[in-house]
Amino acid sequence: MLIVQKFGGTSVGDLERIQNVANRVSESVKKGNDVVVVVSAMSGETNKLVGYAEHFSKDPARAEMDMLLSSGERVTASLLSIALQEMGHQATAMSGRKAGIVTDKHHTKARIEEIDPSAMQEAVKEGKIVVVAGFQGVNAEGDITTLGRGGSDLSAVAIAGALKADLCEIYTDVSGIYTTDPRIEPKAKKLDKISYDEMLELASLGAKVLQNRSVEMAKKLNVNLVTRTSFSNEEGTLITKEENIMEAPLVSGIALDRNQARISLFGVKDRPGIASDIFNRLASAEVNVDMIIQNKAVDETTNIDFTVPVGDLSDAKAIVDSFVQNGEINADSYNEDICKVSVVGVGMRSHTGVAAKAFSTMADNNININMISTSEIKISMVIDEKYAELAVRGLHDAYELDK
Ligand code: ADP
Ligand code: ASP
Ligand code: MG
């Protein structure tokens, strides 16, 4: 079998853990598998580098940030390769560039455009263990780019797709995908299987156990994806096609996203095309807009509220402020003390009353709902951040996910 194994920050968090990863990889190789490894930076390393840059600038140039941040993954890739060589294996460490990962030009959140897997394939053919530095690629100009926070998951899935690997294993610090973040609700249960669509919703709605774009890519390329822990041999969670799951539960999980900010626009000129102008500008700047609500005001204007990830707030502010300056919007305001809680499950498609139960759970806990959005398989609510945990635990109980 050809297996891609990705090890996250905690799994390579110190030198002893890197040795533990080397031992695991070595075991897989001894079983006769070809292994391509993708590694994250040591835990805390990327944040430390961000802090270094912020020491000098509030808004450091993104090209420089990519040069800087990509270094964390190179450290672990090199060290793991050295550890494997020391154990008698043939191993080779590769940067994103050497691994053939070509991205678009959007520094700090680049998208993978194509992968030329020939260097990896050649090394595997020569019997080598390939160790790729995750989270990074190179754009058409040859500059280093990074794939957004948590992006090593995407590197792993994309590489698994390009190599047509039999399996892509994501090793992390929890033993799989749980009904909610086990750090918030200790009663959370590990799922044996979850569909791509549900996992994509959970990840997009804040469950950082997998980066959302990695799940999207896994679905698109039909990659067999397993999430498991690097600290024991416990079985993990299979992320697979919906038809491979016999009994879809009504609700699979609860997600929490604390990294959301709400932007309110007051007195927006009520003319055709205004929403298109604002949101197209935001989209071109790669600002990830989520919930949008519009209310008609009494005069010739409307009010629009929407949410964006906190990381996109400064870009969003600059754009929105320019509409205020040219008089198309009267005023704007921002609130970062919000969070988004979501209930996800494919079973919702065929059941009624799922949303009503979510709303009454908020009511029972005296939590005010600021915004609501729903799709076929999810209900999301924006609430004050201080109620985040209360809401997650309340919903987990209400849908009996601990049973
Ligand atoms: P890594 O460094 O290995 O990439 P992350 O910290 O990015 O790991 O992701 C793992 C974390 O995701 C867990 O420690 C857990 O707190 C969090 N998490 C959030 N939601 C879930 C969930 N539904 N199931 C499992 N873990 C979750
Ligand atoms: N090191 C990067 C981050 O912390 C990428 C990753 O770990 O997946 O976001
Ligand atoms: Mg991660």
Side-chain angles (χ1 to χ4, degrees):
M1 284 223 293
L2 173 58
I3 310 179
V4 173
Q5 297 184 324
K6 179 259 175 178
F7 294 89
T10 2
S11 303
V12 294
D14 59 31
L15 302 182
E16 208 176 303
R17 287 186 174 175
I18 293 177
Q19 184 61 57
N20 171 51
V21 167
N23 299 343
R24 272 197 173 266
V25 172
S26 176
E27 270 171 42
S28 303
V29 170
K30 284 183 186 149
K31 283 185 194 147
N33 298 306
D34 289 326
V35 180
V36 172
V37 186
V38 175
V39 285
S40 286
M42 293 162 92
S43 64
E45 197 57 29
T46 309
N47 287 342
K48 190 178 91 187
L49 295 170
V50 170
Y52 285 170
E54 287 174 350
H55 174 78
F56 297 103
S57 166
K58 263 199 284 192
D59 189 20
R62 296 192 182 176
E64 271 60 31
M65 286 309 283
D66 279 349
M67 273 277 281
L68 178 67
L69 299 191
S70 61
S71 67
E73 270 67 12
R74 289 168 184 239
V75 170
T76 38
S78 320
L79 293 176
L80 179 59
S81 185
I82 293 169
L84 286 164
Q85 289 165 356
E86 199 56 27
M87 293 170 79
H89 290 287
Q90 288 196 71
T92 179
M94 292 189 185
S95 63
R97 180 196 308 268
K98 181 74 189 273
I101 299 173
V102 179
T103 72
D104 66 13
K105 61 181 190 328
H106 281 107
H107 282 293
T108 74
K109 44 180 161 177
R111 287 178 182 275
I112 297 179
E113 287 188 330
E114 58 177 277
I115 297 187
D116 170 5
S118 51
M120 290 186 287
Q121 279 163 336
E122 210 160 299
V124 168
K125 217 192 294 162
E126 290 166 3
K128 291 182 181 153
I129 302 169
V130 176
V131 186
V132 182
F135 179 52
Q136 58 189 278
V138 61
N139 66 18
E141 277 85 60
D143 303 313
I144 294 180
T145 51
T146 62
L147 309 176
R149 296 306 302 267
S152 297
D153 295 333
L154 178 61
S155 307
V157 171
I159 287 172
L163 293 172
K164 301 193 168 53
D166 300 288
L167 179 64
C168 180
E169 293 180 319
I170 307 285
Y171 286 89
T172 182
D173 56 1
V174 285
S175 54
I177 310 300
Y178 282 71
T179 47
T180 193
D181 188 339
R183 289 179 210 286
I184 296 176
E185 174 52 279
K187 288 189 282 183
K189 284 260 174 326
K190 189 177 76 187
L191 303 165
D192 294 334
K193 290 180 182 177
I194 185 169
S195 67
Y196 289 121
D197 288 331
E198 287 170 306
M199 191 62 234
L200 182 55
E201 288 286 4
L202 286 175
S204 305
L205 295 168
K208 72 162 185 167
V209 59
L210 285 174
Q211 191 218 31
N212 60 345
R213 276 155 59 192
S214 74
V215 183
E216 197 175 38
M217 178 85 75
K219 182 185 177 190
K220 192 167 108 193
L221 304 179
N222 218 341
V223 171
N224 289 311
L225 194 60
V226 169
T227 302
R228 55 191 303 180
T229 175
S230 64
F231 302 136
S232 77
N233 284 323
E234 203 179 324
E235 295 271 330
T237 301
L238 175 68
I239 297 117
T240 186
K241 289 188 205 157
E242 199 176 321
E243 64 238 43
N244 296 338
I245 298 174
M246 297 298 277
E247 262 179 285
L250 180 61
V251 168
S252 292
I254 313 292
L256 170 66
D257 190 348
R258 295 174 193 274
N259 286 313
Q260 290 281 313
R262 172 177 177 161
I263 301 182
S264 305
L265 311 179
F266 305 100
V268 180
K269 279 245 160 68
D270 204 5
R271 64 157 173 88
I274 180 76
S276 142
D277 286 352
I278 297 170
F279 291 105
N280 273 318
R281 284 275 301 284
L282 292 165
S284 320
E286 293 278 305
V287 171
N288 226 322
V289 174
D290 184 29
M291 288 187 200
I292 305 175
I293 48 178
Q294 174 171 351
N295 294 312
K296 190 131 190 112
V298 275
D299 49 10
E300 291 299 283
T301 66
T302 75
N303 296 337
I304 300 178
D305 278 63
F306 58 96
T307 58
V308 299
V310 168
D312 289 354
L313 188 57
S314 65
D315 284 352
K317 269 182 184 164
I319 290 168
V320 165
D321 286 345
S322 74
F323 281 88
V324 175
Q325 262 141 40
N326 71 22
E328 298 229 275
I329 299 175
N330 272 343
D332 50 20
S333 78
Y334 311 95
N335 183 357
E336 291 185 51
D337 300 325
I338 58 152
C339 68
K340 185 166 62 185
V341 279
S342 308
V343 179
V344 173
V346 286
M348 278 183 214
R349 283 196 199 112
S350 45
H351 285 79
T352 54
V354 183
K357 184 177 267 184
F359 304 150
S360 43
T361 305
M362 295 300 111
D364 294 345
N365 286 285
N366 242 326
I367 301 171
N368 193 39
I369 306 171
N370 297 323
M371 296 168 101
I372 297 170
S373 85
T374 62
S375 79
E376 252 196 325
I377 64 167
K378 71 121 201 271
I379 303 148
S380 293
M381 296 167 287
V382 168
I383 59 171
D384 285 355
E385 181 152 29
K386 60 178 186 253
Y387 299 123
E389 273 112 2
L390 185 63
V392 169
R393 294 197 198 112
L395 291 167
H396 199 268
D397 264 0
Y399 295 102
E400 301 185 342
L401 295 181
D402 55 334
K403 298 282 155 62

